[in-house]
Amino acid sequence: IKKLDGEMKTLVYENYSRFISATEIIKKMKEDVVDMEDQMKNLETRMQKISQVNDNISSQLSSKRTKIEELSGISRLLQKRQFLFELPARLKRCVELEAYSQAATYYKGTKKILDKYNTFPSFCAIQKECTAIINQLQQLLKEKMKSKDISNST
């Protein structure tokens, strides 16, 4: 019995130190969890402030964003109009450089727009000039084809 009692005391003593160590670890973990909860609450508060500032900035810039989009659209429209106003000169240059397919591409890409707005005098003048250039190009190509046919048949 004494031997068993001694073994029990040794077992209790060894486990007691482990129990004390485990208790201290649990206490430390509890403190860390409480500290982490405080940090999470602080983080949540900061995130809410950031979200509010973001919303404020977004609302302040929305009118400017709208204005920028509007100006961007106007800029694209002006570039298209500029291209149309320069189209007769481009077509003439393509014919001079014998870039016939490029001239046809330019004309084909703008024909619908010119047809749609031909009631405006400036667009009507551009359309007439472009049509005349394309007609000349067609005549030139027909003549080249005839001269090739003649040279191939001889």
Side-chain angles (χ1 to χ4, degrees), residues 68-80:
I68 288 171
E69 289 172 356
E70 180 183 324
L71 291 174
S72 178
I74 291 171
S75 175
R76 284 190 300 273
L77 179 63
L78 289 173
Q79 287 173 348
K80 289 175 184 177

Side-chain angles (χ1 to χ4, degrees), residues 4 9 14 18 36 45 49 67 72 82 94 99 105-106 142 147-148 150:
L4 189 58
K9 284 182 182 180
E14 287 175 358
R18 290 182 186 157
M36 191 183 308
T45 303
K49 287 180 183 177
K67 185 69 174 173
S72 178
Q82 183 67 31
C94 286
T105 302
Y106 285 155
K142 286 178 185 177
S147 68
K148 282 188 179 183
I150 292 172

Side-chain angles (χ1 to χ4, degrees), residues 27-42:
K27 183 179 177 184
K28 177 68 175 149
M29 286 175 63
K30 185 177 178 183
E31 290 171 1
D32 289 347
V33 168
V34 169
D35 186 43
M36 191 183 308
E37 285 177 349
D38 290 341
Q39 289 177 356
M40 291 301 290
K41 286 179 184 176
N42 189 11

Side-chain angles (χ1 to χ4, degrees), residues 6 40 43 60 67 82 84 117 119 124-125 127-129 132 138:
M40 291 301 290
L43 177 63
Q60 289 176 355
K67 185 69 174 173
Q82 183 67 31
L84 286 174
Y117 295 106
T119 57
C124 185
Q127 184 180 28
K128 285 180 182 178
E129 191 173 355
Q138 288 174 339

Side-chain angles (χ1 to χ4, degrees), residues 88 91-92 95 107 124-140:
L91 293 177
K92 287 177 185 176
V95 171
Y107 184 71
C124 185
I126 292 170
Q127 184 180 28
K128 285 180 182 178
E129 191 173 355
C130 290
T131 302
I133 294 168
I134 292 299
N135 288 339
Q136 290 172 354
L137 176 58
Q138 288 174 339
Q139 196 62 32
L140 178 69

Side-chain angles (χ1 to χ4, degrees), residues 2-4 6 8 11 23 30 32 38 41 43 53 59-60 63 65 68 84 97-98 100 108 111-112 118 137 141 153:
K2 283 187 177 183
K3 184 179 176 187
L4 189 58
M8 288 295 279
L11 188 60
T23 304
K30 185 177 178 183
D32 289 347
D38 290 341
K41 286 179 184 176
L43 177 63
V53 169
S59 67
Q60 289 176 355
S63 64
R65 184 180 310 118
I68 288 171
L84 286 174
L97 297 174
E98 296 183 359
Y100 305 132
K108 182 182 175 189
K111 185 169 180 357
K112 288 181 183 178
N118 71 355
L137 176 58
L141 291 174
S153 64

